Amino acid sequence: SQQGEEDPQALSIQEGENATMNCSYKTSINNLQWYRQNSGRGLVHLILIRSNEREKHSGRLRVTLDTSKKSSSLLITASRAADTASYFCATGSGVQKLVFGQGTRLTINP
Amino acid sequence: EPEVTQTPSHQVTQMGQEVILRCVPISNHLYFYWYRQILGQKVEFLVSFYNNEISEKSEIFDDQFSVERPDGSNFTLKIRSTKLEDSAMYFCASSAQGGSYNEQFFGPGTRLTVL
């Protein structure tokens, strides 16, 4: 798989449930970031976790990072209809660019 | 809250024509980026720019592409002779500091359609 691959590719849950998305990567990283993209819109930065961190919280978001497994997860608790979007992980490895994954399409059903 | 803006939101052009996509980064940011996203595919890095020069570019960013910061606020991406495969959403981003340690703030994108 390529750097920053998310799974599942699509996730559909009921409002109020928790949503978990995973990201795997192949090379060493300095940080991993999660972005949200509403349909046809720009990318909104959600959270950045550095390689020496294991877990980070921001509101209803919880991100974990396991550098030994080269994987990260994004948990959205108590999901809302407004959380419907695509979610991307992006890895940074010391140079300027971010390498994005294919994304997970999350649908929250009312 | 400061944000990155991009114009136009949608650009339609004929194959072989030149296009210029414009971006206004966040005012105190020093690092600027262009990414693109072909429909249904992942976001791909094109180029980063700092101190009036390209600091990194990808294989996609060939001689047909150029970037410029013509004044203190705008950051542009020029495609000299567009191809059908250049059709994509182009995102500009900026960050206060360099490297990939810091979050990059993205604009809403310009959808480029090459006919």
Side-chain angles (χ1 to χ4, degrees), chain B residues 15-103:
Chain B
M15 190 170 57
Q17 295 296 305
E18 173 184 287
V19 294
I20 297 176
L21 309 182
R22 291 183 166 78
C23 168
V24 179
I26 294 173
S27 63
N28 62 344
H29 285 185
L30 301 176
Y31 296 82
F32 315 114
Y33 315 85
W34 284 101
Y35 292 79
R36 79 171 186 191
Q37 184 182 31
I38 294 171
L39 188 64
Q41 297 186 25
K42 58 178 70 176
V43 176
E44 301 172 290
F45 170 80
L46 293 178
V47 67
S48 60
F49 191 85
Y50 168 71
N51 199 25
N52 283 321
E53 60 184 27
I54 290 172
S55 47
E56 189 182 0
K57 61 182 180 179
S58 71
E59 295 173 351
I60 304 167
F61 194 88
D62 61 22
D63 292 345
Q64 292 300 311
F65 291 87
S66 62
V67 289
E68 194 178 28
R69 187 155 163 81
D71 53 44
S73 60
N74 290 283
F75 179 51
T76 62
L77 174 69
K78 181 193 291 185
I79 309 175
R80 285 189 187 80
S81 177
T82 50
K83 305 176 192 133
L84 295 176
E85 54 265 37
D86 293 328
S87 293
M89 184 77 97
Y90 287 81
F91 293 105
C92 173
S94 68
S95 64
Q97 299 179 49
S100 52
Y101 291 94
N102 298 285
E103 64 178 278

Coordinates of all heavy atoms in Angstrom, one line a residue, chain B residues 15-103:
Chain B
M15 N -7.8 23.0 -24.0 CA -6.5 22.4 -24.0 C -5.5 23.3 -24.8 O -5.8 23.8 -25.8 CB -6.6 21.0 -24.7 CG -5.5 20.1 -24.6 SD -5.8 18.5 -25.2 CE -6.4 18.8 -26.9
G16 N -4.3 23.4 -24.2 CA -3.3 24.2 -24.8 C -3.2 25.6 -24.3 O -2.2 26.3 -24.6
Q17 N -4.3 26.1 -23.6 CA -4.3 27.4 -23.1 C -3.5 27.5 -21.8 O -3.4 26.6 -21.1 CB -5.7 27.9 -22.9 CG -6.6 28.0 -24.2 CD -6.0 29.1 -25.1 OE1 -5.8 30.2 -24.7 NE2 -5.7 28.7 -26.3
E18 N -3.1 28.7 -21.5 CA -2.4 29.0 -20.2 C -3.5 29.4 -19.2 O -4.5 30.1 -19.5 CB -1.5 30.2 -20.4 CG -0.8 30.7 -19.2 CD 0.1 31.9 -19.4 OE1 1.2 31.7 -20.0 OE2 -0.3 33.0 -19.0
V19 N -3.3 29.0 -18.0 CA -4.2 29.4 -16.9 C -3.3 29.8 -15.7 O -2.2 29.4 -15.5 CB -5.1 28.3 -16.4 CG1 -6.1 27.9 -17.5 CG2 -4.4 27.0 -15.9
I20 N -3.8 30.8 -15.0 CA -3.2 31.2 -13.7 C -4.2 31.1 -12.6 O -5.3 31.7 -12.7 CB -2.7 32.7 -13.9 CG1 -1.7 32.8 -15.0 CG2 -2.2 33.2 -12.5 CD1 -1.2 34.2 -15.2
L21 N -3.8 30.3 -11.6 CA -4.7 30.2 -10.4 C -4.1 31.1 -9.3 O -2.9 31.1 -9.1 CB -4.7 28.7 -10.0 CG -5.0 27.7 -11.1 CD1 -5.1 26.3 -10.5 CD2 -6.3 28.0 -11.8
R22 N -5.0 31.7 -8.6 CA -4.5 32.7 -7.7 C -4.9 32.3 -6.2 O -5.9 31.7 -6.0 CB -5.1 34.1 -8.0 CG -4.5 34.7 -9.3 CD -5.0 36.1 -9.6 NE -4.2 36.7 -10.6 CZ -4.3 36.4 -11.9 NH1 -5.2 35.6 -12.3 NH2 -3.5 37.0 -12.8
C23 N -4.0 32.7 -5.4 CA -4.2 32.4 -3.9 C -3.7 33.6 -3.1 O -2.7 34.2 -3.5 CB -3.3 31.1 -3.6 SG -3.1 30.8 -1.9
V24 N -4.4 33.8 -2.0 CA -3.9 34.8 -1.0 C -3.7 34.0 0.3 O -4.7 33.6 0.9 CB -4.9 36.0 -0.8 CG1 -4.4 36.9 0.2 CG2 -5.2 36.7 -2.1
P25 N -2.5 33.8 0.6 CA -2.2 33.0 1.8 C -2.6 33.8 3.1 O -2.8 35.0 3.0 CB -0.7 32.7 1.8 CG -0.3 33.0 0.4 CD -1.3 34.0 -0.1
I26 N -2.5 33.2 4.2 CA -2.7 33.9 5.5 C -1.6 34.9 5.6 O -0.4 34.6 5.4 CB -2.8 32.9 6.6 CG1 -4.1 32.1 6.5 CG2 -2.8 33.6 8.0 CD1 -4.3 31.0 7.4
S27 N -1.9 36.1 6.1 CA -1.0 37.2 5.9 C 0.4 37.1 6.6 O 1.4 37.5 6.1 CB -1.6 38.5 6.4 OG -1.9 38.4 7.8
N28 N 0.5 36.5 7.8 CA 1.8 36.4 8.4 C 2.5 35.0 8.1 O 3.5 34.7 8.8 CB 1.7 36.6 9.9 CG 0.8 35.5 10.6 OD1 0.0 34.8 9.9 ND2 0.8 35.4 11.9
H29 N 2.0 34.3 7.2 CA 2.6 33.0 6.9 C 3.7 33.2 5.9 O 3.7 34.1 5.0 CB 1.6 32.0 6.3 CG 0.7 31.4 7.3 ND1 -0.2 30.5 7.1 CD2 0.6 31.7 8.7 CE1 -0.9 30.1 8.2 NE2 -0.4 30.8 9.2
L30 N 4.7 32.3 5.9 CA 5.9 32.5 5.1 C 6.1 31.3 4.1 O 6.9 31.4 3.2 CB 7.1 32.6 6.0 CG 7.2 33.7 7.0 CD1 8.4 33.6 7.9 CD2 7.1 35.1 6.3
Y31 N 5.4 30.3 4.3 CA 5.5 29.1 3.5 C 4.3 28.8 2.7 O 3.2 28.8 3.3 CB 5.9 27.9 4.4 CG 7.2 28.0 5.1 CD1 7.3 28.7 6.3 CD2 8.4 27.5 4.6 CE1 8.5 28.9 6.9 CE2 9.6 27.6 5.2 CZ 9.6 28.4 6.4 OH 10.8 28.5 7.0
F32 N 4.4 28.5 1.5 CA 3.2 28.4 0.6 C 3.3 27.1 -0.2 O 4.4 26.7 -0.6 CB 3.1 29.6 -0.3 CG 3.4 30.9 0.4 CD1 4.5 31.7 0.1 CD2 2.5 31.3 1.4 CE1 4.7 32.9 0.8 CE2 2.7 32.5 2.0 CZ 3.8 33.3 1.7
Y33 N 2.2 26.6 -0.5 CA 2.1 25.3 -1.2 C 1.0 25.2 -2.2 O 0.0 25.9 -2.1 CB 1.9 24.1 -0.1 CG 2.7 24.3 1.1 CD1 2.3 25.0 2.2 CD2 3.9 23.6 1.3 CE1 3.0 25.2 3.3 CE2 4.6 23.6 2.4 CZ 4.2 24.5 3.5 OH 4.9 24.6 4.6
W34 N 1.2 24.4 -3.2 CA 0.1 24.0 -4.1 C 0.0 22.5 -4.1 O 1.0 21.7 -4.1 CB 0.4 24.4 -5.5 CG 0.1 25.9 -5.7 CD1 1.0 26.9 -5.8 CD2 -1.2 26.5 -5.9 NE1 0.4 28.1 -6.0 CE2 -0.9 27.9 -6.1 CE3 -2.5 26.1 -5.9 CZ2 -1.9 28.8 -6.3 CZ3 -3.5 27.0 -6.1 CH2 -3.2 28.4 -6.3
Y35 N -1.2 22.0 -4.0 CA -1.6 20.6 -4.1 C -2.7 20.5 -5.1 O -3.4 21.5 -5.5 CB -2.1 20.1 -2.8 CG -1.1 20.0 -1.6 CD1 -0.8 21.1 -0.9 CD2 -0.6 18.8 -1.3 CE1 0.1 21.0 0.2 CE2 0.3 18.7 -0.2 CZ 0.7 19.8 0.5 OH 1.5 19.7 1.5
R36 N -2.9 19.3 -5.6 CA -4.0 19.1 -6.5 C -4.7 17.8 -6.2 O -4.1 16.8 -5.6 CB -3.6 19.1 -8.0 CG -3.0 17.8 -8.5 CD -2.8 17.8 -10.0 NE -2.3 16.5 -10.4 CZ -1.8 16.2 -11.6 NH1 -1.8 17.1 -12.5 NH2 -1.5 15.0 -11.9
Q37 N -6.0 17.7 -6.6 CA -6.7 16.5 -6.3 C -7.6 16.2 -7.6 O -8.5 16.9 -7.9 CB -7.7 16.7 -5.1 CG -8.4 15.4 -4.7 CD -9.3 15.7 -3.5 OE1 -9.8 16.8 -3.3 NE2 -9.5 14.6 -2.7
I38 N -7.1 15.2 -8.3 CA -8.0 14.7 -9.4 C -9.2 14.0 -8.8 O -9.1 13.4 -7.8 CB -7.1 13.8 -10.3 CG1 -6.0 14.5 -10.9 CG2 -8.0 13.1 -11.4 CD1 -5.0 13.7 -11.7
L39 N -10.3 14.2 -9.5 CA -11.6 13.7 -9.0 C -11.5 12.3 -8.6 O -11.1 11.4 -9.4 CB -12.7 13.9 -10.1 CG -14.1 13.6 -9.7 CD1 -14.5 14.6 -8.6 CD2 -15.0 13.6 -10.9
G40 N -11.9 12.0 -7.3 CA -11.9 10.7 -6.8 C -10.6 10.1 -6.4 O -10.5 9.0 -5.9
Q41 N -9.5 10.9 -6.5 CA -8.2 10.5 -6.1 C -7.7 11.2 -4.9 O -8.3 12.1 -4.4 CB -7.2 10.6 -7.3 CG -7.7 9.7 -8.5 CD -6.6 9.7 -9.6 OE1 -5.5 10.0 -9.4 NE2 -7.1 9.5 -10.8
K42 N -6.5 10.9 -4.5 CA -5.9 11.5 -3.3 C -5.4 12.9 -3.6 O -5.1 13.2 -4.7 CB -4.9 10.6 -2.6 CG -3.7 10.2 -3.5 CD -2.7 9.4 -2.7 CE -3.2 8.0 -2.4 NZ -2.2 7.2 -1.8
V43 N -5.2 13.7 -2.6 CA -4.5 15.0 -2.7 C -3.0 14.8 -2.9 O -2.4 14.0 -2.2 CB -4.8 15.8 -1.4 CG1 -4.1 17.1 -1.5 CG2 -6.3 16.0 -1.2
E44 N -2.5 15.4 -3.9 CA -1.1 15.2 -4.3 C -0.3 16.6 -4.1 O -0.8 17.6 -4.6 CB -1.0 14.8 -5.7 CG -1.7 13.5 -6.0 CD -1.6 13.2 -7.5 OE1 -2.3 13.9 -8.3 OE2 -0.9 12.3 -7.9
F45 N 0.8 16.5 -3.6 CA 1.7 17.7 -3.4 C 2.3 18.1 -4.8 O 2.7 17.2 -5.6 CB 2.8 17.3 -2.5 CG 3.9 18.3 -2.4 CD1 3.8 19.5 -1.7 CD2 5.1 18.1 -3.1 CE1 4.8 20.4 -1.6 CE2 6.2 19.0 -3.0 CZ 6.0 20.2 -2.3
L46 N 2.3 19.4 -5.1 CA 2.9 19.9 -6.3 C 4.2 20.6 -6.0 O 5.3 20.2 -6.5 CB 2.0 20.8 -7.0 CG 0.7 20.3 -7.6 CD1 -0.1 21.4 -8.3 CD2 1.0 19.2 -8.6
V47 N 4.1 21.6 -5.1 CA 5.3 22.4 -4.9 C 5.2 23.2 -3.6 O 4.1 23.4 -3.1 CB 5.4 23.4 -6.1 CG1 4.2 24.4 -6.1 CG2 6.7 24.2 -6.1
S48 N 6.3 23.5 -3.0 CA 6.4 24.4 -1.8 C 7.3 25.6 -2.2 O 8.2 25.4 -3.0 CB 6.8 23.7 -0.6 OG 8.1 23.1 -0.8
F49 N 7.0 26.7 -1.5 CA 7.7 27.9 -1.9 C 8.0 28.7 -0.6 O 7.1 28.9 0.3 CB 6.7 28.7 -2.8 CG 7.2 29.9 -3.5 CD1 7.9 29.8 -4.7 CD2 7.1 31.2 -2.9 CE1 8.4 30.9 -5.3 CE2 7.5 32.3 -3.6 CZ 8.2 32.2 -4.8
Y50 N 9.2 29.2 -0.5 CA 9.6 30.0 0.6 C 10.7 30.9 0.2 O 11.6 30.6 -0.6 CB 10.2 29.0 1.7 CG 10.9 29.7 2.9 CD1 10.1 30.5 3.8 CD2 12.3 29.7 3.0 CE1 10.8 31.2 4.8 CE2 12.9 30.3 4.1 CZ 12.1 31.1 4.9 OH 12.8 31.8 6.0
N51 N 10.6 32.1 0.8 CA 11.7 33.1 0.5 C 11.9 33.4 -1.0 O 13.0 33.4 -1.5 CB 13.0 32.7 1.2 CG 13.9 33.9 1.4 OD1 13.5 35.0 1.5 ND2 15.2 33.5 1.4
N52 N 10.8 33.4 -1.7 CA 10.7 33.7 -3.1 C 11.4 32.7 -4.0 O 11.9 33.0 -5.1 CB 11.4 35.1 -3.4 CG 10.4 36.2 -3.1 OD1 9.2 36.1 -3.3 ND2 11.0 37.3 -2.5
E53 N 11.5 31.4 -3.5 CA 12.0 30.4 -4.4 C 11.3 29.1 -4.0 O 10.8 28.9 -2.9 CB 13.5 30.3 -4.3 CG 14.1 30.0 -3.0 CD 15.6 30.0 -3.0 OE1 16.2 30.7 -3.9 OE2 16.2 29.2 -2.2
I54 N 11.3 28.2 -5.0 CA 10.8 26.8 -4.8 C 11.7 26.1 -3.8 O 12.9 26.0 -4.0 CB 10.7 26.1 -6.1 CG1 9.6 26.7 -7.0 CG2 10.4 24.6 -5.9 CD1 9.5 26.2 -8.4
S55 N 11.1 25.5 -2.8 CA 11.9 24.7 -1.8 C 11.8 23.2 -2.1 O 12.7 22.5 -1.7 CB 11.6 25.1 -0.4 OG 10.2 25.1 -0.2
E56 N 10.7 22.8 -2.7 CA 10.5 21.4 -3.0 C 9.4 21.3 -4.1 O 8.5 22.1 -4.1 CB 10.1 20.6 -1.8 CG 10.1 19.1 -2.0 CD 9.6 18.3 -0.7 OE1 9.3 19.0 0.3 OE2 9.6 17.1 -0.8
K57 N 9.6 20.3 -5.0 CA 8.6 20.1 -6.0 C 8.5 18.6 -6.3 O 9.4 17.8 -6.0 CB 8.9 20.9 -7.3 CG 10.2 20.5 -7.9 CD 10.4 21.4 -9.2 CE 11.7 21.0 -9.9 NZ 11.9 21.8 -11.1
S58 N 7.3 18.2 -6.8 CA 7.1 16.8 -7.0 C 7.3 16.5 -8.5 O 7.5 17.5 -9.3 CB 5.6 16.4 -6.7 OG 4.7 17.0 -7.6
E59 N 7.2 15.3 -8.9 CA 7.4 14.9 -10.3 C 6.3 15.5 -11.2 O 6.5 15.7 -12.4 CB 7.3 13.4 -10.4 CG 8.5 12.6 -9.7 CD 8.2 11.1 -9.7 OE1 7.1 10.7 -10.1 OE2 9.2 10.4 -9.3
I60 N 5.2 15.7 -10.6 CA 4.1 16.3 -11.4 C 4.4 17.7 -11.8 O 4.0 18.2 -12.9 CB 2.8 16.4 -10.5 CG1 2.4 15.0 -10.0 CG2 1.6 17.0 -11.3 CD1 1.4 15.1 -8.9
F61 N 5.2 18.4 -11.0 CA 5.5 19.8 -11.3 C 6.6 19.9 -12.3 O 7.8 20.1 -12.0 CB 5.9 20.5 -10.0 CG 5.9 22.0 -10.0 CD1 4.8 22.7 -9.7 CD2 7.1 22.7 -10.3 CE1 4.8 24.1 -9.8 CE2 7.1 24.1 -10.4 CZ 5.9 24.8 -10.1
D62 N 6.2 19.8 -13.6 CA 7.2 19.8 -14.6 C 7.3 21.2 -15.2 O 6.8 22.2 -14.6 CB 6.9 18.8 -15.7 CG 5.5 19.1 -16.4 OD1 5.0 20.2 -16.3 OD2 4.9 18.1 -16.9
D63 N 8.0 21.3 -16.4 CA 8.2 22.7 -16.9 C 7.0 23.4 -17.3 O 7.1 24.6 -17.6 CB 9.1 22.5 -18.2 CG 10.5 22.0 -17.8 OD1 10.9 22.1 -16.6 OD2 11.3 21.6 -18.7
Q64 N 5.9 22.7 -17.4 CA 4.6 23.4 -17.7 C 4.1 24.2 -16.6 O 3.2 25.1 -16.8 CB 3.6 22.4 -18.2 CG 3.9 21.7 -19.5 CD 4.0 22.7 -20.6 OE1 3.1 23.6 -20.8 NE2 5.1 22.7 -21.4
F65 N 4.6 24.0 -15.4 CA 4.1 24.6 -14.2 C 5.1 25.7 -13.7 O 6.3 25.5 -13.8 CB 3.9 23.6 -13.1 CG 2.7 22.6 -13.3 CD1 3.0 21.5 -14.0 CD2 1.5 22.9 -12.8 CE1 1.9 20.6 -14.2 CE2 0.4 22.0 -13.0 CZ 0.7 20.8 -13.7
S66 N 4.6 26.7 -13.1 CA 5.5 27.7 -12.5 C 4.7 28.4 -11.4 O 3.4 28.4 -11.4 CB 6.0 28.7 -13.5 OG 4.9 29.5 -14.0
V67 N 5.4 28.8 -10.4 CA 4.8 29.6 -9.3 C 5.4 30.9 -9.1 O 6.6 31.1 -9.5 CB 4.8 28.8 -7.9 CG1 3.9 27.6 -8.0 CG2 6.2 28.4 -7.6
E68 N 4.7 31.8 -8.5 CA 5.2 33.2 -8.4 C 4.5 33.8 -7.2 O 3.3 33.5 -6.9 CB 4.9 34.0 -9.7 CG 5.7 35.3 -9.8 CD 5.4 36.0 -11.1 OE1 4.3 35.8 -11.6 OE2 6.3 36.7 -11.5
R69 N 5.3 34.7 -6.6 CA 4.7 35.6 -5.5 C 4.9 37.0 -6.1 O 5.9 37.6 -5.7 CB 5.3 35.3 -4.2 CG 4.6 36.0 -3.1 CD 4.9 35.3 -1.8 NE 4.6 36.1 -0.6 CZ 3.4 36.3 -0.1 NH1 2.4 35.7 -0.6 NH2 3.2 37.0 1.0
P70 N 4.0 37.5 -6.9 CA 4.2 38.7 -7.6 C 4.2 40.0 -6.7 O 4.8 41.0 -7.0 CB 3.0 38.8 -8.6 CG 2.0 37.9 -8.0 CD 2.7 36.9 -7.2
D71 N 3.5 39.9 -5.5 CA 3.5 41.0 -4.6 C 3.5 40.4 -3.2 O 3.7 39.2 -3.0 CB 2.3 41.9 -4.9 CG 1.0 41.1 -4.9 OD1 0.8 40.2 -4.0 OD2 0.2 41.3 -5.8
G72 N 3.2 41.2 -2.2 CA 3.3 40.8 -0.8 C 2.1 39.9 -0.4 O 2.2 39.4 0.7
S73 N 1.1 39.7 -1.2 CA 0.0 39.0 -0.8 C -0.4 37.8 -1.7 O -0.9 36.8 -1.2 CB -1.3 39.9 -0.6 OG -1.6 40.5 -1.9
N74 N -0.2 37.9 -3.0 CA -0.7 36.8 -3.8 C 0.4 35.8 -4.1 O 1.6 36.0 -4.0 CB -1.1 37.4 -5.2 CG -2.3 38.3 -5.1 OD1 -3.4 37.7 -5.0 ND2 -2.2 39.6 -5.1
F75 N -0.1 34.6 -4.3 CA 0.7 33.4 -4.7 C 0.0 32.7 -5.8 O -1.1 32.4 -5.7 CB 0.9 32.5 -3.5 CG 1.7 31.3 -3.7 CD1 3.0 31.4 -4.2 CD2 1.3 30.0 -3.3 CE1 3.8 30.3 -4.4 CE2 2.0 28.9 -3.5 CZ 3.3 29.0 -4.0
T76 N 0.7 32.6 -7.0 CA 0.0 32.1 -8.2 C 0.7 30.8 -8.7 O 1.9 30.6 -8.5 CB 0.1 33.1 -9.3 OG1 1.4 33.4 -9.7 CG2 -0.6 34.4 -8.9
L77 N -0.2 30.0 -9.3 CA 0.3 28.8 -10.0 C -0.1 29.0 -11.5 O -1.3 29.2 -11.8 CB -0.4 27.6 -9.5 CG -0.2 26.3 -10.2 CD1 1.3 25.8 -10.0 CD2 -1.1 25.1 -9.7
K78 N 0.9 28.9 -12.4 CA 0.6 29.0 -13.8 C 0.8 27.7 -14.4 O 1.8 27.0 -14.2 CB 1.6 30.1 -14.4 CG 1.3 30.3 -15.9 CD 2.4 31.1 -16.6 CE 2.5 32.5 -16.2 NZ 3.5 33.3 -17.0
I79 N -0.1 27.3 -15.3 CA 0.1 26.2 -16.2 C 0.1 26.7 -17.6 O -0.8 27.3 -18.1 CB -1.1 25.1 -16.0 CG1 -1.3 24.8 -14.6 CG2 -0.7 23.9 -16.8 CD1 -2.5 23.9 -14.3
R80 N 1.3 26.5 -18.3 CA 1.5 27.2 -19.5 C 0.7 26.7 -20.7 O 0.1 27.4 -21.4 CB 3.0 27.0 -19.9 CG 3.9 27.9 -19.1 CD 5.3 27.9 -19.7 NE 6.2 28.6 -18.7 CZ 6.7 28.1 -17.6 NH1 6.5 26.8 -17.3 NH2 7.5 28.8 -16.8
S81 N 0.6 25.4 -20.8 CA -0.2 24.8 -21.9 C -1.0 23.6 -21.3 O -0.4 22.5 -21.2 CB 0.8 24.3 -23.0 OG 0.1 23.7 -24.1
T82 N -2.2 23.9 -21.0 CA -3.0 22.9 -20.2 C -3.3 21.6 -21.1 O -3.4 21.7 -22.3 CB -4.3 23.5 -19.8 OG1 -5.0 24.1 -20.9 CG2 -4.1 24.5 -18.7
K83 N -3.3 20.5 -20.3 CA -3.7 19.2 -20.9 C -4.9 18.7 -20.3 O -5.3 19.2 -19.2 CB -2.6 18.2 -20.7 CG -1.2 18.6 -21.2 CD -0.2 17.6 -20.8 CE 1.2 18.1 -21.0 NZ 2.1 17.9 -19.8
L84 N -5.6 17.8 -20.9 CA -6.8 17.2 -20.4 C -6.6 16.7 -19.0 O -7.4 16.9 -18.1 CB -7.4 16.1 -21.3 CG -7.8 16.5 -22.6 CD1 -8.3 15.3 -23.4 CD2 -9.0 17.5 -22.6
E85 N -5.4 16.1 -18.8 CA -5.1 15.4 -17.5 C -4.8 16.4 -16.4 O -4.6 16.1 -15.2 CB -4.0 14.4 -17.6 CG -2.7 14.9 -18.2 CD -2.7 14.7 -19.7 OE1 -3.7 14.7 -20.4 OE2 -1.5 14.4 -20.2
D86 N -4.8 17.7 -16.7 CA -4.6 18.8 -15.7 C -5.9 19.1 -15.0 O -5.9 19.8 -14.0 CB -4.0 20.0 -16.3 CG -2.6 19.9 -16.8 OD1 -1.8 19.1 -16.2 OD2 -2.2 20.5 -17.8
S87 N -7.0 18.6 -15.5 CA -8.3 18.8 -14.9 C -8.3 18.2 -13.5 O -8.0 17.1 -13.3 CB -9.4 18.1 -15.7 OG -9.6 18.7 -16.9
A88 N -8.5 19.1 -12.5 CA -8.4 18.7 -11.1 C -8.8 19.9 -10.2 O -9.1 21.0 -10.7 CB -7.0 18.3 -10.7
M89 N -8.9 19.6 -8.9 CA -9.1 20.7 -7.9 C -7.7 21.0 -7.5 O -6.9 20.1 -7.1 CB -9.9 20.2 -6.8 CG -10.2 21.2 -5.7 SD -11.5 22.4 -6.3 CE -12.9 21.6 -5.5
Y90 N -7.4 22.3 -7.5 CA -6.1 22.8 -7.1 C -6.2 23.5 -5.8 O -7.0 24.5 -5.7 CB -5.5 23.7 -8.2 CG -5.0 22.9 -9.4 CD1 -5.9 22.5 -10.3 CD2 -3.7 22.5 -9.5 CE1 -5.5 21.7 -11.4 CE2 -3.2 21.8 -10.6 CZ -4.2 21.4 -11.6 OH -3.7 20.6 -12.6
F91 N -5.5 23.1 -4.8 CA -5.5 23.7 -3.5 C -4.2 24.4 -3.2 O -3.1 23.9 -3.4 CB -5.7 22.6 -2.4 CG -7.0 21.9 -2.4 CD1 -7.1 20.6 -2.9 CD2 -8.2 22.6 -2.0 CE1 -8.3 20.0 -2.9 CE2 -9.4 21.9 -2.0 CZ -9.5 20.6 -2.5
C92 N -4.4 25.6 -2.7 CA -3.3 26.4 -2.1 C -3.3 26.2 -0.6 O -4.3 26.1 0.0 CB -3.5 27.9 -2.5 SG -2.3 29.0 -1.8
A93 N -2.1 26.2 0.0 CA -2.0 26.1 1.4 C -0.9 27.0 1.9 O 0.1 27.4 1.1 CB -1.7 24.7 1.9
S94 N -0.9 27.4 3.1 CA 0.2 28.2 3.7 C 0.4 27.7 5.2 O -0.5 27.2 5.8 CB -0.1 29.7 3.7 OG -1.2 30.1 4.5
S95 N 1.6 28.0 5.6 CA 1.9 27.7 7.0 C 2.8 28.7 7.6 O 3.6 29.4 6.8 CB 2.6 26.3 7.1 OG 3.8 26.2 6.5
A96 N 2.8 28.9 8.9 CA 3.6 29.9 9.5 C 5.0 29.6 9.5 O 5.9 30.4 9.4 CB 3.1 30.2 10.9
Q97 N 5.3 28.3 9.7 CA 6.7 27.8 9.8 C 6.8 26.7 8.8 O 5.9 26.2 8.2 CB 7.0 27.3 11.2 CG 6.8 28.3 12.3 CD 7.1 27.8 13.6 OE1 8.2 27.1 13.8 NE2 6.3 28.0 14.6
G98 N 8.1 26.4 8.5 CA 8.4 25.4 7.5 C 8.4 24.0 7.9 O 8.1 23.7 9.1
G99 N 8.9 23.1 7.1 CA 8.9 21.7 7.4 C 7.4 21.2 7.4 O 6.5 22.0 7.3
S100 N 7.3 20.0 7.7 CA 5.9 19.4 7.8 C 5.5 19.3 9.2 O 4.5 18.6 9.5 CB 5.9 18.1 7.0 OG 6.9 17.2 7.5
Y101 N 6.2 19.9 10.1 CA 5.8 19.9 11.5 C 4.6 20.7 11.9 O 4.0 20.5 12.9 CB 7.0 20.4 12.4 CG 8.2 19.5 12.4 CD1 9.3 19.8 11.5 CD2 8.3 18.4 13.3 CE1 10.4 19.0 11.5 CE2 9.5 17.6 13.3 CZ 10.5 17.9 12.4 OH 11.6 17.1 12.4
N102 N 4.3 21.6 11.0 CA 3.3 22.6 11.4 C 2.1 22.4 10.4 O 2.3 22.1 9.3 CB 3.8 24.0 11.3 CG 4.9 24.1 12.3 OD1 4.7 24.3 13.5 ND2 6.2 24.1 11.9
E103 N 1.0 22.7 10.9 CA -0.2 22.5 10.1 C -0.2 23.5 9.0 O 0.2 24.6 9.1 CB -1.5 22.7 11.0 CG -1.7 24.0 11.5 CD -3.0 24.1 12.3 OE1 -4.1 24.3 11.7 OE2 -3.0 24.0 13.5

